Amino acid sequence: DYDAESERQEGVENFYRINHINQSYDFVKKMREEYGKLDKVEMSIWECCELLNDVVDESDPDLDEPQIEHLLQTAEAIRKDYPNEEWLHLTALVHDLGKVLLHPSFGELPQWAVVGDTYPVGCAFDESIVHHKYFKQNPDYNNPDYSTKYGVYAEGCGLNNVMMSWGHDDYMYLVAKENGTTLPSAAVFVIRYHSFYALHRSGAYKHLMNGEDFENLKWLQIFNKYDLYSKSKDRIDVEKVKPYYLSLIKKYFPSKLRW
């Protein structure tokens, strides 16, 4: 809820002001080159889950729990309703692991470069993006190359060819892809676009999508209901569910990953 009156809300709006001013095409390119090297650390998926316990997401107006609780709440809620889609259970567990970018061992990036809603750069910023007014201060806003509907892209080019604002989604996508995950393409799509609310809430940017994107979007819309609305105060017994998730990690990821 981005409109509720609260002290936290003011912080969320300020977060988006800084985010929208700084997330330019050149900035994103630079971050993808730097973090795409995956030369920060080697660790397992579960080690990364534990590292996230130190992280709180300032862009989320509804959540004060440690991140691992949110990951497991999301995964367990999906597991209950979709017991046969094990890949989706694992996707829920790993979808936010890119938030380790906030951790000191990853250079402790500022929150605005890690969390919050994501959106394409290199074309016009859609009006549906939360706190859109702050884009007027982004260097790309009046750049003729980047400020049209298609910008540097072509109709139906596929989201895979579109640069998204930099953050934990794109980083975890790079980690999964470069470490050779065997998760299906729908899972990788969910990881990369779960914060792309302009698309899955408002239907913006569909002119850039291809056929595979439309297929995968169906799964993202299922996933998103759980990502947002499984947040609860019921604690998860981590040790009880851990063996199940470790078995899935072993099936779809290498034992150690480059981050």
Side-chain angles (χ1 to χ4, degrees):
D1 179 357
Y2 287 104
D3 298 317
E5 291 289 329
S6 76
E7 198 179 310
R8 178 134 198 192
Q9 226 51 48
E10 208 173 291
V12 171
E13 178 160 352
N14 191 48
F15 162 92
Y16 277 110
R17 184 181 65 79
I18 301 166
N19 170 285
H20 291 355
I21 292 168
N22 288 292
Q23 290 270 6
S24 66
Y25 189 83
D26 289 345
F27 169 77
V28 172
K29 214 167 153 209
K30 194 178 89 189
M31 297 307 272
R32 291 199 92 214
E33 279 163 14
E34 161 68 17
Y35 284 90
K37 294 175 193 160
L38 303 181
D39 59 0
K40 305 291 177 230
V41 71
E42 278 200 15
M43 63 179 164
S44 70
I45 290 283
W46 194 265
E47 283 170 323
C48 188
C49 290
E50 290 179 332
L51 199 57
L52 268 202
N53 271 340
D54 308 335
V55 167
V56 173
D57 178 347
E58 284 174 10
S59 75
D60 188 336
D62 307 317
L63 187 68
D64 287 305
E65 299 297 317
Q67 291 294 317
I68 195 167
E69 300 247 350
H70 164 56
L71 299 179
L72 286 168
Q73 280 173 352
T74 309
E76 285 293 282
I78 291 176
R79 185 179 170 191
K80 194 171 141 216
D81 292 350
Y82 293 86
N84 301 323
E85 308 292 349
E86 64 174 24
W87 65 270
L88 198 55
H89 314 161
L90 181 58
T91 303
L93 180 74
V94 305
H95 79 283
D96 270 350
L97 292 188
K99 289 181 182 178
V100 290
L101 290 173
L102 295 167
H103 202 271
S105 56
F106 283 79
E108 207 167 2
L109 283 179
Q111 291 259 344
W112 63 262
V114 180
V115 295
D117 290 18
T118 59
Y119 42 84
V121 294
C123 59
F125 301 112
D126 192 81
E127 293 280 344
S128 65
I129 302 167
V130 63
H131 295 304
H132 178 274
K133 61 190 175 194
Y134 295 116
F135 283 121
K136 287 182 180 150
Q137 297 170 65
N138 185 299
D140 294 353
Y141 189 79
N142 292 312
N143 181 329
D145 293 336
Y146 301 144
S147 57
T148 62
K149 180 179 176 178
Y150 291 98
V152 297
Y153 310 113
E155 182 156 14
C157 64
L159 292 180
N160 208 28
N161 295 305
V162 172
M163 275 220 299
M164 299 294 291
S165 57
W166 177 252
H168 72 280
D169 307 52
D170 215 37
Y171 177 60
M172 189 59 207
Y173 156 74
L174 290 172
V175 169
K177 187 170 73 99
E178 297 302 322
N179 282 283
T181 184
T182 53
L183 281 168
S185 82
V188 178
F189 188 92
V190 167
I191 291 167
R192 194 175 192 188
Y193 303 113
H194 67 271
S195 305
F196 187 6
Y197 290 103
L199 170 65
H200 42 84
R201 187 181 284 158
S202 308
Y205 297 105
K206 285 188 172 173
H207 55 284
L208 299 175
M209 290 168 65
N210 62 20
E212 190 180 7
D213 293 332
F214 280 104
E215 280 304 304
N216 288 337
L217 181 59
K218 294 172 192 170
W219 282 109
L220 178 54
Q221 282 166 329
I222 289 168
F223 173 82
N224 195 246
K225 291 192 293 240
Y226 295 90
D227 187 21
L228 281 178
Y229 303 114
S230 63
K231 294 166 187 174
S232 73
K233 296 297 176 190
D234 296 334
R235 308 306 288 257
I236 294 277
D237 183 342
V238 177
E239 290 311 309
K240 189 177 162 196
V241 300
K242 185 176 174 179
Y244 174 68
Y245 289 99
L246 286 178
S247 73
L248 294 186
I249 290 165
K250 193 174 176 186
K251 184 171 175 180
Y252 291 100
F253 282 100
S255 56
K256 291 277 184 190
L257 289 79
R258 293 180 303 114
W259 299 77

Coordinates of all heavy atoms in Angstrom, one line a residue, residues 69-108:
E69 N 12.2 -15.1 6.1 CA 10.9 -15.5 6.5 C 9.9 -15.2 5.4 O 9.0 -16.0 5.1 CB 10.4 -14.6 7.7 CG 11.3 -14.9 8.9 CD 10.6 -15.5 10.1 OE1 9.3 -15.7 10.0 OE2 11.2 -15.9 11.0
H70 N 10.1 -14.1 4.7 CA 9.3 -13.7 3.5 C 9.5 -14.8 2.4 O 8.5 -15.2 1.8 CB 9.6 -12.3 3.0 CG 9.1 -12.0 1.6 ND1 7.7 -12.2 1.3 CD2 9.7 -11.7 0.5 CE1 7.6 -11.9 0.0 NE2 8.8 -11.6 -0.5
L71 N 10.7 -15.2 2.2 CA 11.0 -16.2 1.1 C 10.2 -17.5 1.4 O 9.6 -18.0 0.5 CB 12.5 -16.4 1.0 CG 13.4 -15.3 0.7 CD1 14.8 -15.7 0.6 CD2 13.0 -14.7 -0.7
L72 N 10.4 -17.9 2.7 CA 9.7 -19.2 3.0 C 8.2 -19.1 3.1 O 7.5 -20.0 2.8 CB 10.3 -19.7 4.3 CG 11.8 -20.3 4.1 CD1 12.4 -20.5 5.5 CD2 11.8 -21.6 3.3
Q73 N 7.7 -18.0 3.6 CA 6.2 -17.8 3.6 C 5.7 -17.9 2.2 O 4.7 -18.5 1.9 CB 5.9 -16.4 4.2 CG 5.9 -16.4 5.7 CD 5.7 -15.0 6.3 OE1 5.7 -14.0 5.5 NE2 5.6 -14.9 7.6
T74 N 6.4 -17.2 1.2 CA 5.9 -17.2 -0.2 C 6.0 -18.6 -0.7 O 5.0 -19.1 -1.3 CB 6.8 -16.3 -1.0 OG1 6.9 -15.0 -0.4 CG2 6.3 -16.1 -2.4
A75 N 7.1 -19.3 -0.5 CA 7.3 -20.6 -1.0 C 6.3 -21.6 -0.5 O 5.7 -22.4 -1.2 CB 8.8 -21.1 -0.7
E76 N 6.1 -21.6 0.8 CA 5.2 -22.5 1.5 C 3.7 -22.3 1.1 O 2.9 -23.2 0.9 CB 5.3 -22.4 3.0 CG 6.6 -23.1 3.5 CD 6.5 -24.6 3.4 OE1 5.9 -25.3 4.1 OE2 7.2 -25.1 2.4
A77 N 3.3 -21.0 0.8 CA 2.0 -20.7 0.4 C 1.7 -21.3 -1.0 O 0.7 -21.8 -1.3 CB 1.7 -19.2 0.4
I78 N 2.7 -21.1 -1.9 CA 2.6 -21.7 -3.3 C 2.6 -23.2 -3.2 O 1.8 -23.9 -3.9 CB 3.8 -21.2 -4.2 CG1 3.6 -19.7 -4.4 CG2 3.8 -21.9 -5.5 CD1 4.8 -19.1 -5.2
R79 N 3.5 -23.8 -2.4 CA 3.5 -25.2 -2.3 C 2.2 -25.8 -1.9 O 1.8 -26.9 -2.3 CB 4.6 -25.6 -1.2 CG 4.9 -27.0 -1.1 CD 6.0 -27.2 0.0 NE 6.3 -28.5 0.4 CZ 7.0 -28.9 1.4 NH1 7.6 -28.0 2.1 NH2 7.2 -30.1 1.7
K80 N 1.5 -25.1 -1.0 CA 0.2 -25.6 -0.5 C -0.8 -25.6 -1.7 O -1.6 -26.6 -1.8 CB -0.3 -24.7 0.6 CG -1.4 -25.2 1.4 CD -1.7 -24.3 2.6 CE -3.2 -24.1 2.8 NZ -3.6 -22.9 3.3
D81 N -0.8 -24.6 -2.5 CA -1.8 -24.5 -3.6 C -1.4 -25.1 -4.9 O -2.3 -25.5 -5.7 CB -2.1 -23.0 -3.8 CG -2.9 -22.3 -2.7 OD1 -3.3 -23.1 -1.8 OD2 -3.0 -21.1 -2.7
Y82 N -0.1 -25.2 -5.1 CA 0.4 -25.9 -6.3 C 1.4 -27.0 -6.0 O 2.6 -26.8 -6.2 CB 1.1 -24.8 -7.2 CG 0.1 -23.8 -7.8 CD1 -0.2 -22.7 -7.1 CD2 -0.4 -24.0 -9.1 CE1 -1.1 -21.7 -7.6 CE2 -1.3 -23.1 -9.6 CZ -1.7 -22.0 -8.9 OH -2.6 -21.0 -9.4
P83 N 1.0 -28.0 -5.3 CA 1.9 -29.0 -4.8 C 2.8 -29.7 -5.8 O 3.9 -30.2 -5.5 CB 1.0 -30.1 -4.1 CG -0.4 -29.8 -4.7 CD -0.4 -28.4 -5.0
N84 N 2.3 -29.7 -7.1 CA 3.1 -30.5 -8.1 C 4.1 -29.6 -8.9 O 4.8 -30.1 -9.7 CB 2.1 -31.1 -9.1 CG 1.2 -32.1 -8.4 OD1 1.6 -32.8 -7.5 ND2 -0.1 -32.1 -8.8
E85 N 4.1 -28.3 -8.6 CA 5.0 -27.4 -9.3 C 6.2 -27.1 -8.5 O 6.4 -26.0 -8.0 CB 4.3 -26.1 -9.7 CG 2.9 -26.3 -10.4 CD 3.1 -26.8 -11.8 OE1 4.2 -26.9 -12.4 OE2 2.1 -27.2 -12.4
E86 N 7.1 -28.1 -8.3 CA 8.2 -27.9 -7.4 C 9.1 -26.8 -7.8 O 9.7 -26.1 -7.0 CB 9.0 -29.2 -7.2 CG 9.7 -29.7 -8.5 CD 10.5 -30.9 -8.3 OE1 10.4 -31.7 -7.3 OE2 11.5 -31.1 -9.1
W87 N 9.3 -26.6 -9.2 CA 10.1 -25.5 -9.7 C 9.6 -24.1 -9.2 O 10.4 -23.2 -8.9 CB 10.2 -25.5 -11.2 CG 8.8 -25.2 -11.9 CD1 7.9 -26.2 -12.2 CD2 8.3 -24.0 -12.2 NE1 6.8 -25.5 -12.8 CE2 7.0 -24.2 -12.8 CE3 8.8 -22.7 -12.2 CZ2 6.2 -23.2 -13.3 CZ3 8.0 -21.6 -12.6 CH2 6.7 -21.9 -13.2
L88 N 8.3 -24.0 -9.0 CA 7.7 -22.7 -8.6 C 8.0 -22.5 -7.1 O 8.2 -21.4 -6.6 CB 6.2 -22.7 -8.9 CG 5.5 -21.3 -8.9 CD1 6.2 -20.3 -9.8 CD2 4.1 -21.5 -9.2
H89 N 8.0 -23.6 -6.3 CA 8.4 -23.5 -4.9 C 9.8 -23.0 -4.7 O 10.1 -22.1 -3.9 CB 8.3 -24.9 -4.1 CG 7.0 -25.7 -4.5 ND1 7.0 -27.0 -4.2 CD2 5.8 -25.3 -5.0 CE1 5.8 -27.5 -4.6 NE2 5.1 -26.4 -5.1
L90 N 10.7 -23.6 -5.5 CA 12.1 -23.1 -5.4 C 12.3 -21.7 -5.9 O 13.0 -20.9 -5.4 CB 13.0 -24.1 -6.2 CG 14.5 -23.8 -6.2 CD1 15.0 -23.8 -4.8 CD2 15.3 -24.8 -7.1
T91 N 11.5 -21.4 -7.0 CA 11.6 -20.0 -7.5 C 11.2 -19.0 -6.4 O 11.8 -17.9 -6.3 CB 10.7 -19.8 -8.7 OG1 11.0 -20.8 -9.7 CG2 10.7 -18.5 -9.3
A92 N 10.2 -19.3 -5.7 CA 9.7 -18.5 -4.6 C 10.9 -18.3 -3.5 O 11.1 -17.2 -3.0 CB 8.5 -19.0 -3.9
L93 N 11.6 -19.4 -3.3 CA 12.7 -19.3 -2.3 C 13.8 -18.4 -2.7 O 14.3 -17.6 -2.0 CB 13.2 -20.7 -2.0 CG 14.3 -20.7 -0.9 CD1 13.8 -20.5 0.5 CD2 15.1 -22.0 -1.0
V94 N 14.1 -18.5 -4.0 CA 15.3 -17.8 -4.5 C 15.0 -16.4 -5.1 O 15.9 -15.6 -5.4 CB 16.1 -18.6 -5.6 CG1 16.5 -20.0 -5.0 CG2 15.4 -18.7 -6.9
H95 N 13.7 -16.0 -5.3 CA 13.4 -14.9 -6.1 C 14.0 -13.6 -5.6 O 14.3 -12.7 -6.4 CB 11.9 -14.7 -6.3 CG 11.2 -14.1 -5.2 ND1 10.9 -14.8 -4.0 CD2 10.6 -12.9 -5.0 CE1 10.2 -14.1 -3.2 NE2 10.0 -12.9 -3.7
D96 N 14.2 -13.4 -4.3 CA 14.7 -12.2 -3.7 C 16.2 -12.3 -3.3 O 16.7 -11.3 -2.7 CB 13.9 -11.8 -2.5 CG 12.7 -10.9 -2.8 OD1 12.6 -10.4 -4.0 OD2 11.8 -10.7 -2.0
L97 N 16.9 -13.3 -3.7 CA 18.2 -13.5 -3.1 C 19.2 -12.4 -3.7 O 20.2 -12.1 -3.1 CB 18.8 -14.9 -3.5 CG 18.1 -16.1 -2.8 CD1 18.9 -17.4 -3.1 CD2 18.0 -15.9 -1.3
G98 N 18.8 -11.8 -4.8 CA 19.6 -10.7 -5.3 C 19.8 -9.5 -4.3 O 20.6 -8.6 -4.4
K99 N 18.9 -9.5 -3.3 CA 19.0 -8.4 -2.2 C 20.3 -8.5 -1.4 O 20.6 -7.6 -0.7 CB 17.8 -8.5 -1.3 CG 16.5 -8.0 -2.0 CD 15.3 -8.1 -1.1 CE 14.0 -7.7 -1.8 NZ 12.8 -7.7 -1.0
V100 N 21.1 -9.6 -1.6 CA 22.4 -9.6 -1.0 C 23.3 -8.4 -1.5 O 24.3 -8.1 -0.9 CB 23.2 -10.9 -1.2 CG1 22.5 -12.0 -0.4 CG2 23.3 -11.3 -2.6
L101 N 22.9 -7.8 -2.6 CA 23.6 -6.6 -3.0 C 23.7 -5.5 -1.9 O 24.5 -4.6 -1.9 CB 23.0 -6.0 -4.2 CG 23.1 -6.8 -5.6 CD1 22.2 -6.2 -6.6 CD2 24.5 -6.9 -6.0
L102 N 22.7 -5.6 -1.0 CA 22.7 -4.6 0.2 C 23.8 -5.0 1.2 O 24.1 -4.2 2.1 CB 21.3 -4.6 0.8 CG 20.2 -4.1 0.0 CD1 18.8 -4.5 0.7 CD2 20.2 -2.6 -0.2
H103 N 24.3 -6.2 1.1 CA 25.3 -6.7 2.1 C 26.7 -6.1 1.9 O 27.1 -5.9 0.8 CB 25.3 -8.2 2.1 CG 25.8 -8.8 3.3 ND1 27.1 -9.1 3.6 CD2 25.1 -9.2 4.4 CE1 27.2 -9.6 4.8 NE2 26.0 -9.8 5.3
P104 N 27.4 -5.8 3.0 CA 28.8 -5.3 2.9 C 29.7 -6.1 2.0 O 30.5 -5.5 1.2 CB 29.3 -5.3 4.4 CG 28.1 -5.2 5.2 CD 27.0 -5.9 4.5
S105 N 29.6 -7.4 2.0 CA 30.5 -8.2 1.1 C 30.2 -8.0 -0.4 O 30.9 -8.5 -1.2 CB 30.4 -9.7 1.5 OG 29.1 -10.2 1.4
F106 N 29.1 -7.4 -0.7 CA 28.7 -7.1 -2.1 C 28.9 -5.6 -2.5 O 28.4 -5.2 -3.5 CB 27.3 -7.6 -2.4 CG 27.2 -9.1 -2.5 CD1 27.2 -9.9 -1.4 CD2 27.2 -9.7 -3.8 CE1 27.1 -11.2 -1.5 CE2 27.1 -11.0 -3.9 CZ 27.0 -11.8 -2.8
G107 N 29.6 -4.9 -1.6 CA 29.8 -3.5 -1.9 C 28.7 -2.6 -1.3 O 28.7 -1.4 -1.4
E108 N 27.7 -3.3 -0.6 CA 26.7 -2.5 0.2 C 26.1 -1.4 -0.7 O 26.1 -0.3 -0.4 CB 27.3 -1.9 1.5 CG 26.3 -1.8 2.6 CD 27.0 -1.5 3.9 OE1 28.2 -1.4 4.0 OE2 26.3 -1.4 4.9

